[in-house]
């Protein structure tokens, strides 16, 4: 049986708070640039060919939201002036200010970033797929940022199923507040595994043949192409929550297990 060792350590992360009015804010965590190996090794349990081939990627420094965008944060930005499209003020199936927003399309998430950019005068966007995996791993090479297997004490997923000889746990069948577990990875990011899938900028490709190695988004000329989603959700089996797992979604999909988090371009000097 795979051993799950939970080590709780206090670490410091550099971040800033993007204020959204008087009652809400976005904690933006500094993710230091670096090089990592993207994708999964051949011996990782329940891996798929779409996670191949493994390749080295150099990712510049950026800021990423500590949590997926919450419903309170969504409401504030959705009330800002429209840039390209209207936004539903309350799209989520599972209600709660601190729960992640869900049932938002890829286009809705991009509009959120566009409005936030205008409001803050900073450049916000969805994470590229490489930025997402780099941030999720936070320097590790195991399937999860905390080790070889997964537990419902750490992640919200369909814990009625097991991964890599781990144990079964509580299948909550709904989202949890973004700070529910009180843990973060080595960069200071929370909920990278499970709770809600997260939209990425990239168009879907069936594997990594020809993928960028500079951390940029991998795009095509097809605006209707499927987009990449990452991280798994409350609805998904544990193998879908792995750092390397990737899946596709229509950019117009609205599901109660898909949300997103934002990235802010780091200034040239920090």
């Amino acid at each position: 049986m795979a051993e799950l060792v939970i080590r709780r350590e206090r670490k410091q992360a550099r971040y800033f708070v993007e204020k959204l009015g008087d009652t809400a804010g976005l904690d933006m965590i500094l993710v230091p640039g670096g090089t990592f190996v993207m994708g999964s090794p051949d011996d990782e349990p329940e891996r798929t060919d779409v996670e191949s081939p493994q390749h080295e990627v150099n990712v510049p420094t950026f800021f990423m939201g500590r949590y997926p965008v919450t419903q309170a944060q969504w409401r504030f930005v959705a009330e800002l002036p429209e840039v390209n499209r209207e936004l539903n003020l309350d799209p989520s199936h599972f209600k709660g200010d601190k729960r992640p927003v869900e049932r938002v399309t890829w286009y809705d998430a991009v509009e959120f970033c566009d409005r936030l950019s205008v409001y803050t005068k900073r450049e916000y966007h969805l994470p590229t797929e490489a930025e997402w995996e780099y941030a999720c791993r936070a320097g590790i090479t195991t399937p999860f940022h905390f080790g070889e297997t997964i537990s419902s004490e750490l992640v919200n997923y369909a814990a009625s199923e097991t991964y890599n000889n781990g144990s079964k746990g509580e299948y909550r069948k709904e989202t949890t507040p973004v700070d529910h577990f009180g843990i973060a990875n080595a960069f200071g990011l929370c909920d990278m595994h499970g709770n809600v899938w997260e939209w990425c900028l990239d168009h879907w490709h069936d594997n990594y043949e020809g993928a960028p190695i500079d951390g940029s988004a991998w795009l095509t000329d097809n605006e209707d192409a499927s987009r990449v989603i990452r991280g798994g959700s409350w609805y998904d089996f544990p193998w879908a929550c792995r750092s390397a797992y990737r899946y596709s979604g229509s950019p117009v999909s609205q599901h109660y297990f898909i949300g997103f988090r934002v990235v802010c371009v780091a200034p040239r000097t920090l």
Side-chain angles (χ1 to χ4, degrees), residues 142-248:
T142 50
F144 308 97
H145 71 71
F146 40 74
E148 297 285 351
T149 190
I150 190 172
S151 164
S152 64
E153 295 176 45
L154 305 175
V155 177
N156 183 17
Y157 66 103
S160 54
E161 301 293 325
T162 63
Y163 176 79
N164 196 20
N165 296 317
S167 300
K168 291 185 179 181
E170 180 184 2
Y171 180 13
R172 298 173 177 88
K173 301 183 181 181
E174 62 180 333
T175 59
T176 47
V178 295
D179 59 355
H180 179 77
F181 296 100
I183 64 164
N185 69 12
F187 287 152
L189 300 165
C190 305
D191 265 12
M192 296 297 289
H193 303 296
N195 213 6
V196 289
W197 288 97
E198 299 179 11
W199 288 115
C200 293
L201 269 181
D202 303 57
H203 294 182
W204 174 257
H205 295 78
D206 289 336
N207 56 50
Y208 288 134
E209 294 286 352
I213 59 171
D214 62 356
S216 61
W218 195 7
L219 305 175
T220 69
D221 293 331
N222 180 12
E223 281 302 311
D224 296 324
S226 294
R227 267 53 171 191
V228 173
I229 54 174
R230 286 299 205 115
S233 78
W234 62 268
Y235 182 80
D236 290 278
F237 293 152
W239 46 262
C241 300
R242 292 177 296 113
S243 302
Y245 188 77
R246 53 197 299 268
Y247 200 63
S248 64

Side-chain angles (χ1 to χ4, degrees), residues 46-68:
E46 301 191 59
R47 70 178 299 277
T48 68
D49 289 341
V50 301
E51 300 160 24
S52 299
Q54 281 192 298
H55 56 292
E56 196 171 86
V57 181
N58 184 50
V59 181
T61 297
F62 59 96
F63 285 90
M64 177 178 260
R66 175 176 291 175
Y67 307 112

Side-chain angles (χ1 to χ4, degrees), residues 15-163:
Y15 74 103
F16 71 92
V17 179
E18 191 72 86
K19 290 188 176 181
L20 305 178
D22 296 328
T23 59
L26 278 166
D27 288 355
M28 299 300 300
I29 303 292
L30 178 67
V31 178
T35 301
F36 82 113
V37 176
M38 187 171 181
S40 60
D42 291 341
D43 60 354
E44 183 165 303
E46 301 191 59
R47 70 178 299 277
T48 68
D49 289 341
V50 301
E51 300 160 24
S52 299
Q54 281 192 298
H55 56 292
E56 196 171 86
V57 181
N58 184 50
V59 181
T61 297
F62 59 96
F63 285 90
M64 177 178 260
R66 175 176 291 175
Y67 307 112
V69 170
T70 66
Q71 292 172 40
Q73 293 162 346
W74 173 269
R75 273 198 309 277
F76 179 87
V77 173
E79 290 180 325
L80 295 174
E82 178 180 330
V83 176
N84 292 304
R85 61 189 285 120
E86 294 182 3
L87 292 177
N88 182 345
L89 291 178
D90 188 23
S92 300
H93 176 75
F94 301 108
K95 306 298 184 184
D97 282 356
K98 297 187 75 173
R99 292 190 191 224
V101 68
E102 18 90 2
R103 296 193 71 250
V104 291
T105 70
W106 183 88
Y107 295 111
D108 292 337
V110 169
E111 174 70 13
F112 179 98
C113 294
D114 290 343
R115 294 190 192 189
L116 186 60
S117 298
V118 172
Y119 175 75
T120 63
K121 298 180 173 58
R122 278 188 271 267
E123 184 182 341
Y124 279 91
H125 59 77
L126 294 178
T128 69
E129 186 175 16
E131 286 173 335
W132 193 97
E133 185 172 328
Y134 176 73
C136 179
R137 290 185 176 281
I140 60 88
T141 58
T142 50
F144 308 97
H145 71 71
F146 40 74
E148 297 285 351
T149 190
I150 190 172
S151 164
S152 64
E153 295 176 45
L154 305 175
V155 177
N156 183 17
Y157 66 103
S160 54
E161 301 293 325
T162 63
Y163 176 79

